[in-house]
């Protein structure tokens, strides 16, 4: 039996839903390309309670359905659990794509980062409220390590499948209450390079706060979208040449930075950081030299956290946030970094 047949059979027998099976709840978000609601299913999926998230999307919904179908077969643990996607024709605005996921939980990493308690609020989620350990820099480092490991694990799954997310940011990372891990959401800007889906980069979709300096990923080398069979033949080579996965690694590095430095968690502080880093030619070590001598206690504490245990955190961070994509580490290599070898990590990440 081949994988293709198995995927086809799975698709036929998986329950599918239509408009009448969905009861809309409160609105969770509204972007330029769709609206997201909490919802419940009247026809309940076998082992679940029917609590879901519904996205009503414009034309890009087709790509997002493709990406989610692919992810659920190839790297299901990386992303929110996809239930079903279909074209709904009855809307006043013409047709829309409707996408349904399991409701994974209340909090995105953005919500958690904005809380003064971070990272202890995350520790409570991962371990359960009653198991909290004594506070302190070492403890904070262990929690940040655990989150970074989960993020890199999820990214490695996506990248190994041939998908680049391109909009990796705290708002698109959800804490899954069932698995007690962070999962990736919002594949609306993702590119599947192995089959050439969404081959033309949609630069205008990218979030400038988290985007790597190259931004365009492959557009200069591949000005037009090749047909799917050509892309299948070429893309592993293009992947090697262009290392498009390193775009997400840069974004993940900025998230790491925001976890280590409370003062860089606001939008305005991140935008200001990006300007400073650009002035340092994207050299994080040069940035550190300019800010550290007159650093606030908060900034100094962030460096102290990253310097723990021989500076593994700082070393990993500088290997992610680099100007040239090919000089950035991959998700797989980052997971093998000594930063994650500490015993302390195991206490928190046993569930991964
Ligand atoms: P948008 O295109 O509007 O950014 P997203 O897919 O990022 O759409 O979803 C918007 C918001 O909805 C997310 O930031 C998150 O708060 C919530 N959300 C999305 N998917 C889920 C899910 N599977 N479980 C719980 N909340 C979700
Ligand atoms: Mg989003």
């Amino acid at each position: 039996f081949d994988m293709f047949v198995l995927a086809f059979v799975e698709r036929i027998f998986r329950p599918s839903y239509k408009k009448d099976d969905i009861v809309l709840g409160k609105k969770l978000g509204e972007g330029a390309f769709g609206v997201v609601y909490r919802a419940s299913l009247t026809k309940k999926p076998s082992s679940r309670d029917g609590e879901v998230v519904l996205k009503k999307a414009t034309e890009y919904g087709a790509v997002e359905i493709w990406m989610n179908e692919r992810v659920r077969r190839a790297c299901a643990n990386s992303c929110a659990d996809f239930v079903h996607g279909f074209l709904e024709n009855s809307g006043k605005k013409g047709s829309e794509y409707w996408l349904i996921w399991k409701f994974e939980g209340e909090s995105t990493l953005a919500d958690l980062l904005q809380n003064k308690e971070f990272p202890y609020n995350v520790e409570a989620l991962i371990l359960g409220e009653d198991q909290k350990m004594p506070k302190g820099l070492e403890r904070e480092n262990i929690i940040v390590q655990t989150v970074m490991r989960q993020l890199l694990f999820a990214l490695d799954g996506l990248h190994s499948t041939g998908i680049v997310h391109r909009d990796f940011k705290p708002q698109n990372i959800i804490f899954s209450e069932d698995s007690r891990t962070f999962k990736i959401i919002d594949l609306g800007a993702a590119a599947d390079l192995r089959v050439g889906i969404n081959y033309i980069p949609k630069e205008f979709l990218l979030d400038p706060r988290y985007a790597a300096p190259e931004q365009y990923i492959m557009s200069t080398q591949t000005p037009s979208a090749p047909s799917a069979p050509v892309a299948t033949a070429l893309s592993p080579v293009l992947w090697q040449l262009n290392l498009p996965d390193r775009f997400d690694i840069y974004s993940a590095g900025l998230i790491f930075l925001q976890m280590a430095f409370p003062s860089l968690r606001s939008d305005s502080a991140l935008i200001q950081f990006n300007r400073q880093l650009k002035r340092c030619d994207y050299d994080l070590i040069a940035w550190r030299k300019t800010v550290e001598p007159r650093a606030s206690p908060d900034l100094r504490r962030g460096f102290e956290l990253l310097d723990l245990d021989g500076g593994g955190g700082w070393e990993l961070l500088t290997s992610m946030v680099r100007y040239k994509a090919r000089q950035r580490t991959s998700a797989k290599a980052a997971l093998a970094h000594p930063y994650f070898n500490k015993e302390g990590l195991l206490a928190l990440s046993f569930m991964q």
Side-chain angles (χ1 to χ4, degrees):
F1 240 29
D2 115 327
M3 278 307 288
F4 185 78
V5 176
L6 282 175
F8 183 72
V9 169
E10 192 264 355
R11 187 67 199 80
I12 298 282
F13 287 98
R14 179 152 39 97
S16 61
Y17 297 88
K18 53 188 191 324
K19 192 180 182 185
D20 296 340
D21 303 324
I22 304 162
V23 182
L24 280 194
K26 84 167 209 250
K27 198 190 273 188
L28 293 176
E30 178 157 15
F33 306 97
V35 189
V36 179
Y37 302 89
R38 252 194 102 147
S40 44
L41 299 173
T42 51
K43 203 171 89 186
K44 303 219 155 113
S46 45
S47 57
R48 291 193 204 128
D49 59 5
E51 285 305 297
V52 295
V53 165
L54 169 71
K55 184 184 269 190
K56 296 184 183 179
T58 58
E59 66 266 34
Y60 297 112
V63 172
E64 202 172 347
I65 292 173
W66 160 273
M67 295 295 166
N68 278 279
E69 290 285 353
R70 190 152 154 64
V71 159
R72 67 171 278 134
R73 291 196 296 272
C75 55
N77 296 332
S78 289
C79 298
D81 203 349
F82 188 57
V83 177
H84 187 56
F86 56 96
L87 186 61
E88 169 58 45
N89 279 310
S90 62
K92 287 185 220 85
K93 293 165 257 164
S95 51
E96 291 170 321
Y97 289 94
W98 285 28
L99 294 89
I100 304 169
W101 294 267
K102 171 186 165 183
F103 179 78
E104 296 280 1
E106 301 281 347
S107 326
T108 65
L109 182 57
D111 302 325
L112 295 162
L113 266 174
Q114 291 313 315
N115 187 313
K116 305 196 290 305
E117 282 291 303
F118 186 90
Y120 296 105
N121 56 348
V122 172
E123 179 186 41
L125 286 176
I126 294 179
L127 287 182
E129 288 291 347
D130 38 292
Q131 289 188 57
K132 279 198 256 177
M133 307 297 210
K135 299 188 176 188
L137 202 63
E138 299 259 358
R139 193 72 197 155
E140 286 165 37
N141 185 35
I142 289 169
I143 303 164
V144 170
Q145 274 177 334
T146 304
V147 177
M148 270 318 285
R149 202 167 83 133
Q150 292 185 355
L151 300 186
L152 289 164
F153 182 81
L155 269 185
D156 181 36
L158 267 191
H159 294 166
S160 302
T161 304
I163 297 175
V164 188
H165 189 280
R166 301 199 297 184
D167 197 16
F168 196 64
K169 58 183 178 183
Q171 292 78 0
N172 287 336
I173 297 165
I174 189 91
F175 187 78
S176 164
E177 286 165 12
D178 281 352
S179 68
R180 295 192 184 187
T181 57
F182 285 97
K183 292 183 175 181
I184 299 170
I185 57 173
D186 201 353
L187 299 170
D192 187 332
L193 294 149
R194 303 220 168 149
V195 281
I197 299 288
N198 192 7
Y199 212 71
I200 303 179
K202 298 195 291 269
E203 295 84 16
F204 58 89
L205 281 180
L206 303 178
D207 189 319
R209 291 169 302 176
Y210 293 90
E214 70 269 21
Q215 287 191 29
Y216 306 102
I217 305 186
M218 302 179 69
S219 58
T220 50
Q221 290 84 0
T222 50
S224 63
S227 66
V230 176
T232 307
L234 285 179
S235 58
V237 177
L238 287 178
W239 186 282
Q240 283 305 312
L241 280 176
N242 295 281
L243 302 169
D245 58 315
R246 307 305 153 85
F247 189 81
D248 292 339
I249 293 295
Y250 187 94
S251 309
L254 293 191
I255 296 171
F256 191 9
L257 189 91
Q258 287 191 300
M259 290 200 285
F261 298 99
S263 60
L264 297 180
R265 287 180 198 157
S266 72
D267 279 351
S268 55
L270 183 60
I271 290 164
Q272 198 198 340
F273 165 83
N274 285 334
R275 246 184 261 128
Q276 290 176 348
L277 189 64
K278 193 174 178 186
R279 253 184 263 125
C280 298
D281 294 323
Y282 296 92
D283 180 344
L284 207 53
I285 293 165
W287 172 78
R288 180 172 183 165
K289 280 187 189 138
T290 66
V291 297
E292 205 169 20
R294 46 190 176 81
S296 63
D298 168 276
L299 214 55
R300 229 174 292 133
R301 200 162 187 276
F303 288 123
E304 211 182 304
L305 182 145
L306 293 165
D307 286 342
L308 285 173
D309 305 311
W314 174 251
E315 212 283 324
L316 176 62
L317 178 64
T318 56
S319 72
M320 297 175 80
V321 181
R322 283 189 181 145
Y323 180 75
K324 285 199 171 132
R326 74 176 44 259
Q327 288 176 357
R328 287 175 218 147
T329 187
S330 67
K332 208 181 288 303
L335 284 168
H337 192 279
Y339 179 57
F340 297 114
N341 288 347
K342 250 189 65 187
E343 263 171 52
L345 185 71
L346 299 173
L348 262 176
S349 61
F350 58 94
M351 270 162 297
Q352 195 195 297

